[in-house]
Amino acid sequence: MKKQLFINGEWVGTESYKDLLSPYSNEKIAEIASATEVDVDKAIAAAYQTNETMAEMPAHQRASILEKVANLIEARAEEAAKIISAEAAKPYKTALGEVSRTVATYKFSAEEAKRIHGETIPLDAAVGGENRIAYTVREPIGVIGAITPFNFPMNLVAHKVGPAIASGNTVVLKPAEQTPLSSLFLADIFKEAGLPDGALNIVTGKGSVVGEKIVKDDRVKKISFTGSPAVGIGIRNKSGLKRVTLELGSNAAVIIDQGVDLYKIINRCVMGAFSFQGQVCISLQRVYIHESLYEQFVEKMVAATKQLKIGDPLDPNTDVSALISPRDVDRALAWIEEAKQGGAKVLTGGAAEGNVLQPTILTDVDAKLKVSCQEVFAPIVLINKVSSVKEAISYVNDSRYGLQAGIYTDNIHTALMATKKLHVGGVMVNDIPTFRVDHMPYGGVKESGVGREGVKFAIEEMTEQKLVVFNQA
């Protein structure tokens, strides 16, 4: 099955193709086009030439297209989930959840398309401002370069494409090399929904070719990127005066205060740590729990983790499947070994079969070890005891990342203190840091990135504010 590029509303072949293999079985799934710089140039040109069409399209029409996209995806939800499972090894039931969120993201985009507005400015508040009327409008900025990761290959695309179309922009999309099928699936969806040719272009291939061209081309006015800090920092350095939104990951933590009912939170913590094999930017990687609850929590967490079903991602009962690549398995095992050498204990997991790494729980982990201070992006969670919430906050903040954090506590004063002291983009009170719904502002501080996603907030970053002043004198 050969998959071509999608440029200016048409499927376009290229010089070479690369085999796409299943992360779980290593079987060939498809042959994916590897775009050349010339191909990318054509995609950018198509998007640039369609700018005026999209900018002049009425808001209700943009909203209608996005609503149709949502409905078409919903009607093909099982097909979409199987695509995600096949290319990303995401367990089928988790993939279905992603499809459901994708539908919601496009629905939110449709709604927000009708709510883009400016404000009036009372110029007579300043001396010399009398007899003038002023107001602002928001206008699309043009071509959006969207570069997306493998872990949410359909919904994270929606978080870039949905707001871009809603605000009258055009898009050149580069999906992750391992998960292009989800994006190519959307091409037909958008065409059927009535999106003008050239408004969405999808170019698959190497980041060094496709991504590089998108980032450096002056016709592209904004880059929206989700991925690693190293690549994100490189994009910012190369992008010139383009607007940039970067979501660069984390080593997310939860704090559990004394007196918390553990029965209510164990399954939630297991889900946060091991959903999609921990390959989630806000996956629960670190647990800091009050010493009075430590032994009980560890016992329950280990027992619940051992109940997870490991296997084929297309099996509806599977909870945990393969990591995205053998290289990631080797890295995760090396980090576990380093932790053991550093005095950490492995309470369950710690081994791999093929590309499947067993869900792993570590205790007594030094803060300087990679499994603690770097983003593990694997089914690994550490549990360390603390004597107070303040001590736990110091550990959470002692990180180069700051995306989201969670705290479980029954004390409102402790909760409010934590929301103030935690240096992250979002604090979840009485929940894990893995919580996200698709209309909330989402983004981080420090090396977790710059800018915010969440449809309304993404639209603000994909539009320019223009001031209009009428002199009535």
Side-chain angles (χ1 to χ4, degrees):
M1 178 173 63
K2 273 194 172 182
K3 290 292 184 178
Q4 297 178 313
L5 310 171
F6 187 74
I7 299 175
N8 204 25
E10 296 180 348
W11 294 105
V12 178
T14 188
E15 295 174 0
S16 63
Y17 291 78
K18 181 182 177 181
D19 289 349
L20 179 67
L21 306 180
S22 161
Y24 177 72
S25 67
N26 208 39
E27 295 175 356
K28 180 178 174 179
I29 303 171
E31 294 177 51
I32 307 299
S34 293
T36 64
E37 189 171 321
V38 172
D39 294 324
V40 185
D41 185 78
K42 290 177 181 177
I44 295 172
Y48 188 75
Q49 290 164 9
T50 314
N51 273 340
E52 190 172 347
T53 300
M54 285 302 298
E56 293 183 354
M57 182 182 288
H60 70 82
Q61 191 174 339
R62 300 195 303 269
S64 177
I65 289 170
L66 289 163
E67 189 70 36
K68 288 175 184 175
V69 167
N71 292 337
L72 288 167
I73 295 171
E74 191 168 33
R76 297 170 64 181
E78 291 184 3
E79 177 188 354
K82 287 176 181 176
I83 291 171
I84 295 170
S85 290
E87 67 181 355
K90 178 171 286 191
Y92 179 71
K93 57 187 175 184
T94 309
L96 273 175
E98 179 178 347
V99 175
S100 177
R101 285 184 58 189
T102 301
V103 170
T105 301
Y106 284 118
K107 284 183 178 291
F108 283 129
S109 298
E111 293 164 5
E112 291 296 338
K114 296 178 283 188
R115 291 199 282 256
I116 300 170
H117 60 85
E119 60 181 315
T120 56
I121 313 295
L123 293 187
D124 63 352
V127 175
E130 300 88 347
N131 299 314
R132 285 172 172 81
I133 295 173
Y135 61 90
T136 62
V137 294
R138 284 200 166 272
E139 298 181 339
I141 62 175
V143 179
I144 307 293
I147 304 175
T148 57
F150 73 84
N151 59 333
F152 285 87
M154 206 164 281
N155 194 38
L156 287 183
V157 166
H159 270 283
K160 301 180 190 308
V161 174
I165 300 302
S167 50
N169 294 288
T170 59
V171 183
V172 178
L173 167 64
K174 184 215 170 296
E177 286 187 66
Q178 179 57 43
T179 54
L181 299 179
S182 295
S183 292
L184 297 172
F185 168 82
L186 292 171
D188 287 329
I189 294 280
F190 269 98
K191 193 169 180 68
E192 185 177 348
L195 187 70
D197 292 345
L200 173 62
N201 305 273
I202 303 170
V203 279
T204 53
K206 294 181 178 180
S208 59
V209 176
V210 180
E212 193 84 357
K213 175 64 175 173
I214 292 172
V215 168
K216 290 184 175 180
D217 196 293
D218 289 338
R219 292 169 293 181
V220 178
K221 300 303 180 184
K222 175 182 170 61
I223 301 295
S224 182
F225 170 79
T226 302
S228 72
V231 176
I233 292 167
I235 286 173
R236 196 168 194 186
N237 290 338
K238 297 172 185 175
S239 59
L241 293 177
K242 290 180 175 66
R243 290 193 186 184
V244 177
T245 297
L246 304 174
E247 198 278 279
L248 306 179
S250 191
N251 57 346
V254 70
I255 298 167
I256 303 174
D257 193 13
Q258 57 186 326
V260 170
D261 184 352
L262 298 183
Y263 178 79
K264 294 180 179 180
I265 72 172
I266 289 295
N267 288 338
R268 187 79 176 140
C269 289
V270 170
M271 185 281 291
F274 303 124
S275 180
F276 189 35
Q277 296 82 264
Q279 297 171 128
V280 181
C281 295
I282 42 177
S283 180
L284 176 55
Q285 185 173 327
R286 299 181 289 159
V287 177
Y288 298 108
I289 183 166
H290 191 271
E291 56 195 4
S292 63
L293 296 175
Y294 174 78
E295 298 293 344
Q296 186 182 358
F297 178 83
V298 167
E299 181 182 347
K300 291 180 179 295
M301 188 80 172
V302 170
T305 298
K306 288 181 176 179
Q307 297 301 310
L308 296 173
K309 179 176 170 51
I310 300 171
D312 187 337
L314 291 170
D315 182 340
N317 297 312
T318 293
D319 298 304
V320 176
S321 190
L323 288 178
I324 200 67
S325 74
R327 182 178 67 253
D328 287 282
V329 177
D330 293 341
R331 175 187 54 80
L333 289 172
W335 287 16
I336 292 170
E337 184 58 33
E338 180 202 55
K340 288 162 64 178
Q341 295 298 321
K345 298 183 180 67
V346 179
L347 301 191
T348 187
E353 183 175 343
N355 278 359
V356 179
L357 178 67
Q358 296 172 0
T360 302
I361 296 177
L362 305 173
T363 59
D364 301 322
V365 179
D366 187 278
K368 295 179 181 178
L369 294 168
K370 289 187 178 72
V371 290
S372 178
C373 67
Q374 297 188 33
E375 183 177 36
V376 69
F377 232 58
I380 301 172
V381 64
L382 66 90
I383 307 171
N384 282 356
K385 70 177 73 171
V386 292
S387 59
S388 68
V389 168
K390 287 185 178 180
E391 180 188 359
I393 290 173
S394 71
Y395 284 125
V396 175
N397 287 343
D398 183 21
S399 171
R400 65 198 235 202
Y401 301 110
L403 189 47
Q404 292 192 168
I407 177 170
Y408 284 97
T409 181
D410 293 332
N411 187 314
I412 186 62
H413 302 290
T414 300
L416 289 170
M417 181 271 291
T419 63
K420 183 177 181 180
K421 297 293 185 182
L422 285 165
H423 190 201
V424 293
V427 179
M428 309 297 119
V429 178
N430 287 332
D431 208 346
I432 53 176
T434 322
F435 174 78
R436 182 185 182 185
V437 289
D438 295 288
H439 61 303
M440 76 186 207
Y442 178 76
V445 299
K446 299 187 278 188
E447 286 191 32
S448 284
V450 294
R452 292 294 181 269
E453 289 194 331
V455 178
K456 172 180 180 291
F457 309 95
I459 286 173
E460 290 175 359
E461 301 202 18
M462 292 179 176
T463 53
E464 293 175 322
Q465 186 171 246
K466 178 184 281 184
L467 172 67
V468 179
V469 179
F470 279 82
N471 183 354
Q472 302 177 87

